[in-house]
């Protein structure tokens, strides 16, 4: 079969299972589980793999899954990813009654897309025309939430990194992968369906504890050490760094005070803060992170308090691969017409962050969006309005792109891999993440 016939076959494979594939997304919507708790979702996803003829499902990390579809001919390996985890959003219409877990980021559609891509390519006639391998992975814990729970898992040795793709890389589960892609949902916009491109910032998160000394706030404040004053000075110190941030680094620092004191009659002795430090380049936000630490120490020192700073690596900045994006764009135009393609994110840094950013430092990736939802992302009203686009159209666009990459002895994939210069090797990446973990105390 020529490439056009292979593509037609793959589209029709997806169309003939459309109802079932959309059903997968809707089933997962009703079993929301946050990161590293996706036990039901993982089991359910494994069953779907089995149903579509994949018996060799490998378990990775706590809840992750991996399937390899081998064409039997040598060539590059292309990975299609789906994220297993939900958020926790009180009051979401599809929230779990007990845990308040809810799919308020649309990840339930990603698992369905991934299965759809896999089943459409798992066809002898299709595989005959391709080379190399297709890897399907269901990854845990994309959302950077429930940090305390994940720190416990880390202490117990169940995970080292708090985010799923970081853990996949560490475990070697992506060592055989050359190119990766994933499609996220985004809000409906005019008549656009598929949105290309967009970069996202990387980040570290910090939890901060100022320790002072309690004393009667009216009778003997001179005997106390006011931890809230230390935190206030530190905040001012952070804000005074802003003139040193350069536009190109897109630095965002947004601290909050989560505990400001125990009782109004007592000098605050235990004040807690949290912040993210985000930026468009790893170097940029690590430099800003140092400045934040400096300001936190200065606040404590001025008042005579002490400060404990815990820094945890978040996501790395995401850069999408242009050549891969161009292939995806052609397939998008085929599926939704030129007017259905949104290019407004190309060349822009979005306000969100994702561990697909980590992947983009290691290999060529794309992370397009399917514009199929309404409401605020991560909010109580974020729901999928158009399941057909979210699952079927999104899956087709990825499957057709896989065909472009692996047809003709994997020529296109080879070209992209050969011209890609990774920002980090796997070793350098793991070393960087490990160096970002810091627990420090200053007296
Ligand atoms: Zn999210
Ligand atoms: Zn998401």
């Amino acid at each position: 079969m020529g490439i056009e016939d292979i593509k037609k076959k793959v589209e029709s494979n997806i169309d003939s299972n459309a109802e079932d594939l959309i059903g997968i997304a809707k089933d997962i919507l009703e079993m929301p589980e946050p990161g590293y708790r996706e036990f039901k979702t993982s089991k359910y996803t494994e069953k779907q793999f089995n149903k579509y003829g994949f018996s060799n499902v490998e378990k990775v990390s706590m809840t992750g899954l991996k399937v390899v579809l081998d064409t039997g001919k040598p060539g590059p390996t292309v990975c299609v990813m789906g994220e297993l985890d939900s958020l926790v959003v009180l009051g979401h219409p599809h929230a779990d009654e007990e845990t308040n877990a809810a799919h308020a980021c649309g990840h339930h559609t990603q698992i369905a897309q991934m299965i759809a891509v896999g089943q459409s390519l798992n066809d002898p006639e299709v595989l005959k025309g391709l080379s190399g391998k297709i890897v399907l992975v269901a990854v845990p814990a994309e959302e950077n939430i429930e940090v305390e729970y994940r720190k416990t898992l880390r202490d117990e040795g169940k995970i080292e990194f708090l985010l799923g793709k970081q853990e996949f890389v560490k475990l070697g589960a992506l060592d055989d992968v050359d190119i990766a892609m994933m499609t996220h949902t985004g809000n409906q916009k005019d008549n656009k369906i598929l949105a290309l491109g967009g970069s996202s910032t990387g980040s570290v998160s910090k939890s901060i504890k100022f320790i002072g000394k309690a004393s009667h706030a009216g009778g003997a404040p001179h005997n106390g050490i006011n931890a809230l004053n230390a935190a206030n000075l530190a905040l001012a110190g952070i804000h005074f760094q802003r003139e040193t941030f350069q536009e190109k680094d897109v630095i965002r620092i947004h601290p909050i005070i989560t505990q400001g004191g125990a009782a109004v009659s007592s000098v605050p002795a235990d004040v807690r803060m949290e912040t993210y430090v985000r930026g468009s380049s790893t170097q940029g936000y690590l430099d800003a992170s140092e400045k934040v630490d400096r300001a936190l120490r200065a606040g404590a020192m001025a008042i005579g308090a002490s400060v404990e700073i815990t820094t945890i690596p978040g996501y790395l900045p995401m850069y999408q691969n242009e050549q891969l994006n161009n292939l995806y764009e052609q397939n998008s135009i085929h599926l939704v017409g030129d007017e259905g393609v949104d290019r407004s994110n190309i060349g822009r840094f979005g306000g969100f962050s994702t561990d697909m950013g980590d992947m983009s430092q290691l290999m060529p990736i794309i992370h397009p969006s399917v514009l199929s939802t309404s409401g605020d992302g991560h909010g109580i009203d974020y729901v999928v309005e158009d399941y057909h686009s979210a699952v079927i159209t999104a899956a087709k666009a990825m499957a057709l792109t896989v065909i472009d990459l692996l047809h003709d002895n994997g020529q296109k994939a080879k070209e992209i891999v050969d011209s890609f210069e990774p920002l980090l090797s796997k070793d350098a990446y793991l070393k960087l993440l490990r160096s970002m973990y810091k627990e420090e105390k200053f007296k």
Side-chain angles (χ1 to χ4, degrees), residues 83 105 107 142-143 184:
E83 293 161 348
C105 201
H107 296 186
E142 187 272 339
E143 303 287 355
H184 204 283

Side-chain angles (χ1 to χ4, degrees), residues 330-408:
Q330 291 313 310
N331 291 312
S332 302
I333 294 169
H334 161 74
L335 290 167
V336 300
D338 196 57
E339 63 288 350
V341 178
D342 180 16
R343 298 173 179 86
S344 61
N345 289 329
I346 293 176
R348 272 181 48 197
F349 267 93
F352 72 102
S353 303
T354 168
D355 58 5
M356 203 61 184
D358 295 49
M359 300 301 305
S360 79
Q361 308 263 335
L362 303 166
M363 64 181 74
I365 65 114
I366 46 168
H367 183 270
S369 305
V370 55
L371 306 180
S372 52
T373 57
S374 67
D376 291 319
H378 293 196
I380 60 165
D381 56 352
Y382 191 75
V383 291
V384 175
E385 300 284 355
D386 174 5
Y387 271 94
H388 196 269
S389 296
V391 177
I392 304 305
T393 311
K396 282 182 183 174
M398 288 195 284
L400 298 181
T401 306
V402 172
I403 295 169
D404 284 329
L405 290 166
L406 297 183
H407 181 65
D408 189 19

Side-chain angles (χ1 to χ4, degrees), residues 135 247 264 336 344 380 411 433:
V135 164
E247 267 76 16
V264 70
V336 300
S344 61
I380 60 165
Q411 202 48 44
L433 286 188

